Amino acid sequence: MTDMTSIPWLTILVFLPLVGALLCLLSWHSAALCRWLALATSWGVFTLTAGLFAAFRQGGAGWLLYEDHAWIAPLGIRYTLGLDGISLLLVLLTGFLMVVAVLVSWRVTRFSAAYFALLLGMEAGILGVFLALDLVLFYLFWELMLIPMLFLIGIWGHAGRAPAAVKFFLFTLAGSLLMLIAIIGLHLVHVEAGGAPSFALEALRGTALPARVEPWLYAAFLLAFALKVPLLPLHTWLPDAHTEAPTAGSVILAGLLLKTGVYGLLRFGLPLFPNAAAASLPWLAVPALVGIFYAAWIAYVQTDAKRLVAYASVAHMGFVVLGLAAWNQTALEGSILQLLSHGITTAALFALVGMIDERAHTRRLDELGGLWGRVPRLGFFFLLFCLAALGLPGLNNFVGEIMILIGAFQTRPWWGAAAFVGVVFAAAYMLRLVQAVLWGPPRRRDFWPDLDVREGVVLVALALAALWIGLYPAPLLQPLQAPVADLLGQVPLGPGPGGVP
Amino acid sequence: MTWNDLIALSPILILALSSAALLLAGAWWPRRQALMGLGCLAALSAALVAGVLEPPTEEISALFSAGPYARYFTLLWSLVAALTLLISLRYGRERRFSAGEYSALVLFAAAGMALLSSAISLVGLFLGLEAFTLVLYILIAFHRREERGAEAALKYLVLGAVATGFLAFGIALIYTSSGTFLLPEALAGLDPQGGLRPLALLGWGMLLVALGFKLSLVPFHLWTPDVYQGAPVPVTGLLATGSKGAVLAVLVTLGAGLESGWAELRPLLGVLCALSLLVGTLCALRQDNLKRLLAYAAVVQMGYLLLALMAEGGAGSGALIFYLTAYVVMSLGVFAVIASFSSAAGEAQALEDYRGLGLRHPLRGAALAVFLLALAGIPPTAGFMGKFVIFVAALEAGLVLLVVVGVVASLISVYYYLRVVIVLFSPDAEEAGLSPARGEESFVIAFCLAATLILGILPGPLLGVIAALIP
């Protein structure tokens, strides 16, 4: 594996989708060519991420791959990319879900060159977010991934797309801008303390922050990331964005963009401000727990299948944040694994809802029903992923949830107990979804084709991934051990203030 | 004036002399395209001379500097003039502009802007400012059959005349208190030990009012939307970039010389900055006319530049010059796209005129979207990098409150810029008969687009250049 270090694999990984996007734009005259180019590019990126995973699945401490070059010298901004076990898994997920996103977009014919170019541009941004180690570079990728999503929702979305796109963009930008100010503030504190001008994570991590400043900077970071997760009560942009987004947009939004919030918190928010972070962890559990129940309840009363899945997403991300707040090896590994599981399950559910919408031209639960008898293969996958989402053992979500719950029981038994009840709530809204879509009398009489080969391939691939995580998650947990232990060492969790249980 | 002075002044002389030559030529040889092309060549050669020629002397007649700082802006405004003439080619032909006068005026405006940016004395400042302001009065009303143009020019003239009065009176007061026109020494009049200090303060206040008018800072901004809307698009571009930029450039020179007096002027500047950011933002939100929207947005942009000005020291000046350069290419890009969308029947001004244009003309639509997002400060564009360096400088100077106001304004600004972008890419059933962009228009758009992206992704080289030329 000596050649793995001499070739800039990470740079290739980030820029390959951009090359693909350019090729798509250049072949604007042929929609079919664009599709195939996008598929080829995303497949190429996926094989690259899979290759990285194969090479580094043993994990290990420190950076598995690292690239560092001077970029904007007068300001001390560097081009630094690094891959550790946590980013390895998320990069793998990105590569996989982008192939899915391209495949579920196969029928997009309006301005398909721009559509696929934006999709690939977003892939570059997301990969960059998972790899960047310079704060300005990170911010650049962070914003870069939002712009394509804005246009995907705004141009290819459903009826109420424009307000939803703007709402999504403004919400996330609001947090990001404050984070930018905090980044600059951190940089200036670092310089004032005698450090060389730098925005590098490694350099800034050692900065001794005045107790007066640290909570404010941390709060700005936390807000940016919590908005993306989204943590209650900052979630209101999400259902609208999901409802109006095209299918691929929903897949990426739920499968990848939400993950960047948790990742940012793990990579930057907590290590940069260890004291403030340690003090805040017990309080993070409150919105997480409330979110699990509140979002589950709201999901239960939805009449639109896509909105139901969107709120389910909020509830599931509550579990992930709960795992963070529990802050021990098991819970953290569970949280990160849950990011993967949730990415796969939700992507599959959004893809399925999209497929139903393509056939029935409705997503209203009271207009659907009886799919089991009419399109049995689609019905089978729908049932499978609903069961996965409600945490059936043997399927992917169960592993992450049980690890989070076990971890929570170790440090905060009351939280674990409360969250356990949340699992029952998840069963309630998921079963309602199954009931409304699959069973009951068919309410429509028009002819629907069952899954075609392309759709079948997408769902089989997702199902295999779900089964893999559900039955044999060890290879995915292996690379997490060292980085998670490292994180726990950097942010030692003191006793919660005021004796929070 | 010696031979050396003339050599040092040569870029500006090229602009002014070719302006006179084109004016004469136009009388006998009314070939529209050729005259505009020649004007463009003259502007480019002035830019080349400014960039290449090492002047033998540092200052000219104790009025203007010939240092690297002055040459940088001479180069910039010459380029702006060249690009303005390029986007005026088709626009001017369709409106039967008499090209000799038009090119002459644009070149002369560039000369005035270059003079203003190079000014190191109050007289030089006055001369430069009046030179291009007078030209702009004519250019704004250049389309004679356009009623709005005449109205806008009149508005600009009346308010401009008042501002000139303020400027002249302010200069007189400063001269009274300090006994000199040279900026560094005139600034000494603000010295707390100086006997005539109240007069000097009053003089500086009046100077700020006059310059604030040119920059359209709140509350001196009232002319801006009407003039933006009424002027021919290429002229609006020149007004938005060159005339404001030249004033900012001289403000940097002023700020660098202000030492003891700075502390007194800072609260005043802070109020102007915050007002510009907030009022401009709120007004821009409600506009349905693209040019008026851009006018209010420009008020906000001036707020950011003022923020950089207030962050004293090299970091602030460097940030200001960088953002100013970025602002020039982004704005010029927007106006170039608007000009290319204008037809003989009229300009495309209302937001509704732009519905679906991005889908039917994807290249120009995408370029306009990039320029607007850049103005909103979205990475990876020059606008983001510019705001970034400004925020760094301002936070370093401890202007936390103003930075927060700036961030809020920036957030809201995304909304009004996005509105345009969304209209641009909303489907529209009706097919409007718009001509494809002509070669020179595409060139200007592509040039601004490339500059916007390069300055956003690789700002290092320009930041290095700027660090070397701060006075």
Side-chain angles (χ1 to χ4, degrees):
Chain A
M1 279 300 145
T2 46
D3 63 333
M4 289 300 271
T5 48
S6 57
I7 301 175
W9 288 109
L10 301 180
T11 303
I12 294 174
L13 193 58
V14 173
F15 283 89
L16 190 61
L18 287 181
V19 174
L22 200 67
L23 289 177
C24 271
L25 285 178
L26 290 177
S27 54
W28 53 273
H29 49 273
S30 160
L33 185 57
C34 288
R35 282 202 286 272
W36 284 104
L37 272 174
L39 185 61
T41 312
S42 58
W43 182 258
V45 173
F46 175 52
T47 46
L48 192 53
T49 57
L52 289 178
F53 179 74
F56 294 114
R57 68 197 161 88
Q58 298 305 319
W63 302 112
L64 306 171
L65 280 179
Y66 192 77
E67 286 170 30
D68 182 40
H69 305 281
W71 177 29
I72 307 177
L75 297 171
I77 301 171
R78 301 188 70 80
Y79 172 86
T80 314
L81 299 178
L83 180 95
D84 70 349
I86 300 174
S87 24
L88 179 66
L89 290 190
L90 291 168
V91 163
L92 181 69
L93 179 73
T94 310
F96 178 59
L97 284 188
M98 287 307 295
V99 179
V100 171
V102 170
L103 280 173
V104 299
S105 311
W106 212 246
R107 298 243 171 88
V108 171
T109 46
R110 261 177 79 229
F111 318 115
S112 50
Y115 179 91
F116 287 109
L118 287 172
L119 220 52
L120 291 172
M122 187 146 53
E123 177 167 31
I126 295 170
L127 288 170
V129 163
F130 288 142
L131 295 173
L133 294 177
D134 183 283
L135 283 163
V136 176
L137 187 67
F138 171 76
Y139 186 82
L140 205 78
F141 284 127
W142 180 263
E143 295 284 304
L144 202 60
M145 70 181 181
L146 298 182
I147 302 165
M149 183 53 91
L150 165 78
F151 285 109
L152 282 184
I153 300 176
I155 300 179
W156 288 272
H158 300 288
R161 57 185 173 266
V166 173
K167 189 174 176 184
F168 156 77
F169 200 66
L170 283 184
F171 258 75
T172 46
L173 195 67
S176 311
L177 276 174
L178 284 178
M179 179 170 78
L180 180 66
I181 298 304
I183 290 174
I184 297 172
L186 185 62
H187 162 78
L188 292 175
V189 170
H190 177 72
V191 172
E192 213 159 280
S198 170
F199 287 92
L201 174 64
E202 296 295 327
L204 294 178
R205 199 155 68 188
T207 309
L209 289 164
R212 189 172 48 85
V213 179
E214 184 174 347
W216 289 102
L217 298 181
Y218 175 68
F221 272 73
L222 184 63
L223 179 67
F225 296 136
L227 264 166
K228 197 60 73 63
V229 170
L231 206 59
L232 221 65
L234 307 169
H235 68 287
T236 60
W237 59 270
L238 183 124
D240 290 339
H242 268 308
T243 314
E244 303 303 333
T247 301
S250 296
V251 167
I252 296 172
L253 202 54
L256 299 172
L257 285 197
L258 304 192
K259 277 60 189 179
T260 60
V262 177
Y263 175 80
L265 211 51
L266 281 176
R267 173 74 73 220
F268 297 101
L270 303 175
L272 280 174
F273 312 100
N275 300 322
S280 79
L281 278 176
W283 299 106
L284 271 184
V286 176
L289 275 174
V290 174
I292 292 175
F293 288 99
Y294 173 80
W297 180 30
I298 302 290
Y300 188 80
V301 297
Q302 289 306 310
T303 54
D304 180 310
K306 219 171 174 184
R307 280 185 94 84
L308 195 155
V309 180
Y311 276 108
S313 238
V314 178
H316 281 131
M317 292 311 280
F319 271 102
V320 173
V321 177
L322 185 74
L324 277 190
W327 205 246
N328 57 46
Q329 186 84 24
T330 319
L332 265 182
E333 284 183 22
S335 276
I336 299 167
L337 188 70
Q338 188 67 359
L339 289 183
L340 259 65
S341 299
H342 175 254
I344 288 162
T345 317
T346 321
L349 283 175
F350 276 120
L352 280 160
V353 172
M355 290 170 192
I356 293 173
D357 194 15
E358 272 178 23
R359 289 167 168 78
H361 304 292
T362 181
R363 300 186 307 256
R364 289 185 59 85
L365 293 178
D366 53 5
E367 292 175 5
L368 294 167
L371 255 62
W372 186 257
R374 304 184 63 183
V375 277
R377 275 172 278 172
L378 196 155
F380 163 74
F381 283 110
F382 198 86
L383 183 61
L384 177 79
F385 286 110
C386 281
L387 291 178
L390 67 77
L392 194 74
L395 290 171
N396 52 350
N397 277 35
F398 174 75
V399 186
E401 272 173 24
I402 201 75
M403 286 177 77
I404 292 170
L405 290 176
I406 291 173
F409 272 120
Q410 284 171 7
T411 39
R412 317 267 180 187
W414 285 107
W415 296 359
F420 202 79
V421 182
V423 180
V424 181
F425 271 62
Y429 62 76
M430 272 304 157
L431 289 177
R432 177 174 133 79
L433 182 64
V434 170
Q435 164 69 29
V437 174
L438 294 187
W439 319 125
R443 297 199 175 84
R444 309 264 299 254
R445 307 208 171 276
D446 44 346
F447 169 77
W448 293 355
D450 207 343
L451 297 179
D452 62 21
V453 176
R454 172 183 60 89
E455 292 166 333
V457 166
V458 170
L459 293 174
V460 166
L462 285 163
L464 287 178
L467 279 171
W468 179 31
I469 300 180
L471 297 174
Y472 186 51
L476 293 169
L477 292 172
Q478 175 103 32
L480 289 180
Q481 277 166 8
V484 166
D486 194 30
L487 262 179
L488 289 169
Q490 283 163 20
V491 188
L493 179 62
V500 174
Chain B
M1 188 171 273
T2 65
W3 189 239
N4 276 349
D5 288 353
L6 286 182
I7 294 177
L9 212 51
S10 54
I12 297 172
L13 281 179
I14 291 177
L15 289 172
L17 291 178
S18 41
S19 161
L22 282 171
L23 199 59
L24 279 178
W28 278 282
W29 191 57
R31 298 281 301 274
R32 195 171 282 118
Q33 305 291 76
L35 285 174
M36 285 211 190
L38 282 176
C40 185
L41 275 183
L44 283 179
S45 49
L48 187 72
V49 171
V52 174
L53 185 76
E54 193 74 38
T57 149
E58 274 294 300
E59 60 164 67
I60 302 150
S61 306
L63 287 178
F64 302 107
S65 143
Y69 183 79
R71 281 163 59 211
Y72 178 80
F73 282 106
T74 308
L75 175 86
L76 194 59
W77 307 140
S78 305
L79 279 181
V80 166
L83 296 178
T84 305
L85 284 176
L86 278 182
I87 55 172
S88 307
L89 272 175
R90 184 179 64 94
Y91 189 93
R93 191 185 67 232
E94 283 171 353
R95 283 160 188 72
R96 310 183 138 277
F97 281 5
S98 38
E101 285 96 314
Y102 185 80
S103 327
L105 289 172
V106 170
L107 288 184
F108 200 78
M113 289 161 192
L115 280 179
L116 178 59
S117 309
S118 336
I120 49 167
S121 86
L122 290 167
V123 176
L125 188 153
F126 189 81
L127 284 179
L129 192 68
E130 287 309 304
F132 76 78
T133 309
L134 283 172
V135 172
L136 281 177
Y137 297 144
I138 311 170
L139 277 175
I140 290 169
F142 206 83
H143 190 203
R144 272 166 304 175
R145 270 169 300 170
E146 180 72 51
E147 275 176 36
R148 280 188 191 285
E151 187 190 321
L154 194 64
K155 202 163 221 171
Y156 196 57
L157 174 69
V158 171
L159 288 172
V162 174
T164 304
F166 268 95
L167 186 65
F169 197 37
I171 289 177
L173 287 177
I174 296 170
Y175 181 73
T176 312
S177 62
S178 64
T180 172
F181 284 122
L182 259 184
L183 281 177
E185 285 135 55
L187 294 163
L190 279 175
D191 190 13
Q193 271 78 48
L196 291 168
R197 191 154 172 280
L199 278 187
L201 271 181
L202 193 60
W204 279 105
M206 293 189 139
L207 199 75
L208 272 186
V209 169
L211 296 182
F213 165 80
K214 297 290 173 205
L215 287 179
S216 50
L217 295 172
V218 174
F220 314 115
H221 68 293
L222 294 166
W223 58 274
T224 319
D226 294 333
V227 173
Y228 265 55
Q229 189 187 2
V233 178
V235 175
T236 313
L238 188 67
L239 178 81
T241 56
S243 101
K244 294 190 177 182
V247 173
L248 278 164
V250 82
L251 269 174
V252 172
T253 319
L254 289 179
L258 276 175
E259 277 159 14
S260 53
W262 196 235
E264 263 108 356
L265 290 177
R266 251 176 98 160
L268 188 61
L269 285 176
V271 170
L272 288 182
C273 171
L275 276 180
S276 300
L277 286 171
L278 292 174
V279 174
T281 303
L282 293 179
C283 293
L285 277 177
R286 322 170 50 116
Q287 299 305 318
D288 287 318
N289 179 303
L290 183 58
K291 276 168 100 184
R292 291 182 80 86
L293 190 155
L294 288 170
Y296 284 115
V299 173
V300 183
Q301 301 283 358
M302 290 306 125
Y304 289 116
L305 287 159
L306 208 55
L307 185 58
L309 187 73
M310 289 178 64
E312 51 195 307
S317 307
L320 192 151
I321 300 170
F322 182 82
Y323 193 57
L324 183 56
T325 312
Y327 175 70
V328 166
V329 290
M330 300 182 291
S331 295
L332 217 54
V334 172
F335 289 109
V337 176
I338 299 180
S340 81
F341 276 139
S342 306
S343 64
E347 287 174 7
Q349 289 200 356
L351 270 190
E352 278 310 302
D353 295 345
Y354 287 84
R355 186 166 292 278
L357 277 190
L359 302 176
R360 273 180 268 124
H361 303 271
L363 290 179
R364 273 184 286 172
L368 182 55
V370 171
F371 292 133
L372 290 170
L373 290 176
L375 283 170
I378 306 288
T381 60
F384 166 72
M385 216 25 99
K387 277 194 182 138
F388 180 77
V389 288
I390 286 182
F391 285 156
V392 171
L395 282 177
E396 207 173 355
L399 303 167
V400 180
L401 196 63
L402 279 178
V403 169
V404 171
V405 174
V407 164
V408 171
S410 177
L411 186 64
I412 305 175
S413 80
V414 173
Y415 178 75
Y416 56 78
Y417 287 121
L418 268 188
R419 248 182 80 206
V420 185
V421 175
I422 283 175
V423 167
L424 211 51
F425 290 102
S426 300
D428 173 25
E430 187 189 347
E431 177 78 29
L434 274 175
S435 57
R438 291 195 9 150
E440 75 275 356
E441 288 166 345
S442 304
F443 170 78
V444 174
I445 296 171
F447 178 85
C448 293
L449 191 64
T452 303
L453 291 177
I454 290 172
L455 290 185
I457 294 166
L458 272 181
L462 183 65
L463 283 170
V465 169
I466 287 172
L469 54 81
I470 291 168

